[in-house]
Amino acid sequence: MTRSTEDVDVDKPAAAVGEHDEERPARTLSGYWERFVWAASIAVALLVLKQVFLPFSAGNQFYLVIFLGLTLPLVFLCYRTYGSAKDPDNPGPLDWALAAIALIVGLYPVMPIGSGDFGGGFDAFLDRQGTLSTPDIVAGALLLVLVIEATRRTTGLVLPIVCLVFLAYSYYGGFLPPDWNIAHAGVDFSQIVNALYNDQSGFYGIPLDVAATYIVLFTIYGAVLSSFGAGKFFVDISFAAFRKSRTAPGRTAAMSGFLLGTVSGSGTATTVSLGAITWPVLRKAGYPKENAGGLLAASGIGAILSPPTLGAAAFIIAEYLETSYLTVLLWAIIPTVLYYLGIVFAVEADARRFGAKPVDVDTPPVGKLLLRGGYHFASLAIIVVFLAMDIPPFTAVVYATGVAALFALISQLVTGGSFLTWLRAVADSLAEGIRGALPVIAVCAAAGVITSTITKTGLGQELAAALVDAARALAPNETVILMLTVVFAAVAVSVLGLAVPVTASFIISWVVLGPALSDLGVEPAEVAMFIFYYAVLSEVTPPTALAAVAAAAITGGSVMKTMWQTWKYTLPAFLVPLAFVLTDNGSALLLQQGFVTVLWVTVVSALGVAALAVVTGGWLVGPARWPERVLCVPAALLLLYLQPLSIAIGVGFAVAAVAVHLLRRKTTSTEQEPDDATDEDRGDGAGGAAGDGGVRRQADERLG
C-alpha cells in the first residue's frame, strides 16, 4: 500500500499537545479579542527585535522590566483561570483586570511620572534599592502575586506551590530550630520584595534575561519555519531519504523527530506532530502500538537534547557558565550521537523481532524535495556558521529567521503566491512566537523567586552539604561517595522534573544540586550538562512521562507499556550523563579533552550503548536469550564507567555474551534439518521480510 503525507499538517500539533504537555493549553481567541492580542504580540516581537540591534541605553534591566511588563498581561488574556475550553473562549472581566494591574505594576519601575517615594523613573527606582517606599512594596507584592498566578495558569499548581514554600522559608526561617543547618534569621517582607523587584537576582535575573533575549527569538524562528511548511518538508525528506526497507519507518520517525524539534522546541509537541504522520506508517509496517509509541516519544524528546537548537535550558547554561552558546552545542554533539545510536540499534532490533514490512510512501525524490524546500536547511546552517563566527546567538537567530522568511517569499512568488499573503504569514509568525513563549516567560520570572531565596538565605549550600553528608554516611570511600551523590542527584532532578517544566527543573537543580557535585570535584560544564539531560528526560520518565502519554494517545496503546518502551529507546540518554561526571575520562564526551582521548572514549561508549541495546532489544545476531542479555548488563555499565580496568572487564563480559550467543545459534543450527531452518535462523533472508505470522513474530512472543 502506498501512503501520502499530503493530508497531514505536521506544522500545527494536534489538541493532544495541550492535554499532555507540561504547559497548559492556551485559549482559542476569536473576534476583537484575537485581533487585539495579535497586535499586542506583534508589538512585543518588534520590541524584542529592536533590543537586538538598538538596545536601550538605560541598560538590560530596563529592557527586562519593559519586557515582563508587556508579556505578563498577555498571559492573563491568553490562558484560562481554570477549567477547559468554552465557546467563546475569550478573556472575561477578571482576566482584563489582572492584565491591567500586571501592566501597571510591571511597568511601574520605569514610569517617569511622580517623584520622591513614588515613581520618578527607572534611575529613581534603582536609587531606592534596599529602602523601598510603601508604593514600591505594594507594586512589588502585587507583581509577585501576578507572576505566581501566571505560572499557575500556564504550568499548573506545582511550581507556584514550590515558590510559596520558598517564600515561606525566607520569611519564617527564624522560627526553625536553631540547631538545624537550614535555619536562618528570617528575611523581612520588604527585603523579600526588594530582592525580587529591585535586584538582578529576582524577577529580572538570568532566567528572565535568557527568556527575553534567546528563547523568545528562537520561538519566533520556529514559528516562521512552521508557517512556511518546514515541518512537512522535514518529514517528507526523512521518508524520501530512507525509501523502502523494513527499517525505513523506524529510521524515518527518528530523523523526522530530530528535524521537527527545530520547529517546535517541545518534546511533547514534536511527539504529537511526528505521530500524526508516522504512526499510520509504523502501524502498516507491523509495529505494535506500544513500541511505536515509545519510538515516537523517544524521537520527539531527542530533538531538545540535540544541536543546533537544544532546549531552553541550554541558553541558561551558557549564561550561568559565562560561555558561548556554540560551546554548549559542541558539548552536546557526542551525547547526541550516542542517543541516536541507541535508537538506531533499537529500531534495527525491533524491525527483525516484529517482522516489520517495507511500506511505500508517496513522496518526491530527495533531489526534487531539496530543490523545492532545501532553503529550510539554509537557515539552520546560518545559525551554526554565525555562532562559529562569534556572532551572538540572539543576533544569529534573527538573521536566520530573516533568511528563512526571504527564501519563503521567493518560493511563494515563484509558485504564484502573493506578497501580501507572505507578509501576513510573517506577522502571524511574530505573534505566534511571542504567544508560544509566554509559559516559559512566566516560569523564568517565577524561578527568580527560588533563586533569590537561595541567594538571600544560603539554602543552596546547606542542601548541597546535606546531600553529600548523606552519601558519606553510607560509604567512606570517595569514589563511592561520588557515585551515590550522582545517583541521588539524578533521582532528585528526575523527580523534580515530573512536577515542574524542564526550564524550572534545571534552574532549581542547578542552584541546589550543582554545588554538591562541584564540591566533589566535578567540573561546571559536566555538572550543567548532567542536570540538563536529566531535566529534559523527565518528559519520558515514568510515572508521568508526558511525551509517552501523548504518544499513547495517538497510537491507542497502553500508557504504562508505552512508557516502558520509551524508556527502552531512551536508556542510553539516562546512563551517558552518569559517564561524564563519574570519571575524569568522561569529560571527553563533552569534547573537554584531546582528540585521541575523545576518540577512544566515544568508541567505548558506543560499545556500551550497543550492549544496552542487546539488553533492551533482545537481539544480537539473532534473538538474544536471557544468558546473553544478563551478560550485557555489567558489560554496558562497566564500559560506560570509562576507566581502563572497568573497560577491560566490560569488554570481557561483552565478548562472553557474543560467544554464548554464537555458540547457542550454532548448536541450534546443527540440531535442525536444513529444510526445517526457520526465518529466525536465516536472519535477514527473504522469509524474514515476509512479515505477518512469521516465525520471527512467534519468537518475539516467546521472548515476552
Side-chain angles (χ1 to χ4, degrees):
M1 179 178 179
T2 300
R3 301 197 63 88
S4 173
T5 65
E6 290 297 324
D7 57 345
V8 183
D9 187 359
V10 297
D11 294 301
K12 295 183 179 180
V17 178
E19 297 175 12
H20 304 293
D21 203 358
E22 60 191 4
E23 297 169 359
R24 296 295 179 87
R27 283 187 171 108
T28 304
L29 302 176
S30 60
Y32 168 80
W33 314 118
E34 193 279 332
R35 290 191 293 272
F36 176 83
V37 170
W38 178 84
S41 299
I42 291 177
V44 174
L46 294 176
L47 170 72
V48 173
L49 294 173
K50 178 262 180 195
Q51 179 66 10
V52 173
F53 299 104
L54 295 171
F56 288 104
S57 59
N60 192 57
Q61 188 173 347
F62 182 86
Y63 164 65
L64 294 180
V65 170
I66 296 176
F67 179 80
L68 183 60
L70 295 178
T71 53
L72 191 61
L74 291 176
V75 174
F76 297 107
L77 300 181
C78 294
Y79 287 84
R80 307 176 193 95
T81 305
Y82 54 84
S84 57
K86 56 181 185 284
D87 187 24
D89 195 14
N90 291 321
L94 175 62
D95 303 309
W96 282 104
L98 293 177
I101 297 172
L103 181 67
I104 294 170
V105 299
L107 296 179
Y108 169 85
V110 299
M111 287 182 179
I113 60 175
S115 61
D117 292 338
F118 175 78
F122 186 59
D123 291 337
F125 181 74
L126 291 181
D127 289 340
R128 298 194 294 272
Q129 189 175 81
T131 56
L132 296 183
S133 64
T134 300
D136 296 338
I137 295 173
V138 172
L142 286 173
L143 185 61
L144 171 61
V145 172
L146 291 169
V147 165
I148 291 177
E149 168 61 9
T151 307
R152 185 196 67 80
R153 289 189 179 208
T154 55
T155 66
L157 278 172
V158 176
L159 183 56
I161 290 174
V162 171
C163 290
L164 292 175
V165 169
F166 273 85
L167 286 171
Y169 169 74
S170 181
Y171 187 76
Y172 292 108
F175 293 95
L176 295 174
D179 57 333
W180 287 18
N181 290 336
I182 61 172
H184 63 95
V187 183
D188 183 72
F189 183 73
S190 65
Q191 292 304 308
I192 293 176
V193 173
N194 180 82
L196 295 173
Y197 200 33
N198 201 340
D199 193 283
Q200 293 187 359
S201 66
F203 296 136
Y204 311 113
I206 287 178
L208 184 64
D209 187 15
V210 169
T213 54
Y214 295 99
I215 296 173
V216 69
L217 289 170
F218 273 85
T219 306
I220 291 173
Y221 170 64
V224 169
L225 288 180
S226 177
S227 178
F228 293 115
K232 185 177 185 309
F233 167 76
F234 289 149
V235 172
D236 284 347
I237 200 75
S238 300
F239 275 115
F242 294 115
R243 284 297 174 182
K244 184 178 179 180
S245 70
R246 72 161 76 186
T247 58
R251 293 176 182 176
T252 298
M255 181 176 175
S256 299
F258 172 76
L259 294 173
L260 283 173
T262 62
V263 176
S264 74
S266 163
T268 304
T270 302
T271 299
V272 173
S273 298
L274 182 64
I277 192 167
T278 58
W279 160 235
V281 178
L282 292 171
R283 178 176 56 199
K284 183 64 179 177
Y287 274 77
K289 296 176 181 179
E290 289 78 13
N291 291 76
L295 176 59
L296 293 173
S299 301
I301 206 69
I304 54 176
L305 290 171
S306 311
T309 52
L310 294 177
F315 299 105
I316 297 177
I317 292 175
E319 289 296 312
Y320 277 160
L321 299 185
E322 298 181 346
T323 188
S324 69
Y325 181 60
L326 178 61
T327 301
V328 179
L329 294 184
L330 293 175
W331 291 343
I333 288 177
I334 294 178
T336 298
V337 171
L338 295 175
Y339 179 81
Y340 281 99
L341 187 65
I343 290 181
V344 168
F345 286 152
V347 166
E348 296 293 326
D350 284 352
R352 288 161 174 76
R353 290 182 62 196
F354 305 135
K357 299 173 292 184
V359 178
D360 285 330
V361 179
D362 185 16
T363 56
V366 173
K368 187 175 181 180
L369 284 171
L370 289 175
L371 286 174
R372 183 193 306 167
Y375 62 86
H376 293 302
F377 287 129
S379 62
L380 291 172
I382 284 174
I383 294 178
V384 177
V385 171
F386 279 13
L387 290 176
M389 295 169 61
D390 206 24
I391 294 175
F394 46 83
T395 305
V397 73
V398 171
Y399 288 142
T401 304
V403 168
L406 180 60
F407 274 117
L409 173 61
I410 296 172
S411 177
Q412 285 206 5
L413 294 178
V414 169
T415 56
S418 69
F419 175 78
L420 290 179
T421 302
W422 171 85
L423 187 62
R424 178 57 192 256
V426 171
D428 288 344
S429 299
L430 292 176
E432 184 63 30
I434 295 299
R435 292 182 63 175
L438 291 178
V440 179
I441 294 168
V443 166
C444 287
V449 176
I450 299 167
T451 56
S452 177
T453 299
I454 289 173
T455 301
K456 279 284 186 182
T457 63
L459 177 63
Q461 287 293 340
E462 294 298 337
L463 293 178
L467 183 65
V468 176
D469 289 343
R472 293 188 189 281
L474 296 175
N477 183 275
E478 289 298 318
T479 300
V480 178
I481 290 171
L482 175 60
M483 287 182 178
L484 291 174
T485 304
V486 167
V487 172
F488 292 160
V491 172
V493 178
S494 298
V495 171
L496 180 64
L498 299 178
V500 301
V502 170
T503 305
S505 175
F506 174 83
I507 294 170
I508 297 171
S509 300
W510 172 260
V511 296
V512 174
L513 302 173
L517 297 175
S518 296
D519 290 345
L520 294 175
V522 183
E523 294 298 318
E526 293 134 46
V527 173
M529 295 302 285
F530 169 82
I531 295 174
F532 169 71
Y533 275 95
Y534 275 99
V536 172
L537 289 169
S538 64
E539 289 200 28
V540 290
T541 301
T544 56
L546 298 175
V549 173
I554 292 171
T555 65
S558 164
V559 172
M560 287 307 299
K561 290 181 179 178
T562 301
M563 287 183 185
W564 289 114
Q565 288 299 322
T566 304
W567 183 80
K568 176 189 79 173
Y569 283 104
T570 58
L571 184 58
F574 282 93
L575 295 184
V576 168
L578 299 177
F580 48 70
V581 296
L582 286 177
T583 66
D584 292 338
N585 290 327
S587 63
L589 292 173
L590 303 180
L591 301 179
Q592 298 287 293
Q593 299 197 38
F595 174 77
V596 175
T597 304
V598 169
L599 182 61
W600 74 256
V601 164
T602 303
V603 171
V604 170
S605 300
L607 291 175
V609 169
L612 285 174
V614 174
V615 176
T616 59
W619 194 275
L620 210 120
V621 176
R625 306 303 186 195
W626 69 263
E628 301 101 288
R629 298 171 78 170
V630 168
L631 287 170
C632 282
V633 172
L637 297 177
L638 290 168
L639 286 168
L640 289 174
Y641 189 63
L642 298 176
Q643 289 287 71
L645 179 59
S646 65
I647 292 171
I649 299 174
V651 169
F653 275 106
V655 170
V658 173
V660 169
H661 181 72
L662 294 178
L663 181 61
R664 180 184 59 78
R665 284 181 59 81
K666 182 178 180 180
T667 303
T668 303
S669 177
T670 57
E671 290 177 352
Q672 293 176 341
E673 293 294 331
D675 291 339
D676 295 332
T678 66
D679 287 342
E680 173 184 304
D681 293 316
R682 291 190 186 104
D684 293 336
D692 296 337
V695 178
R696 189 171 285 113
R697 188 181 300 275
Q698 298 171 12
D700 178 59
E701 293 172 354
R702 292 197 300 272
L703 286 168

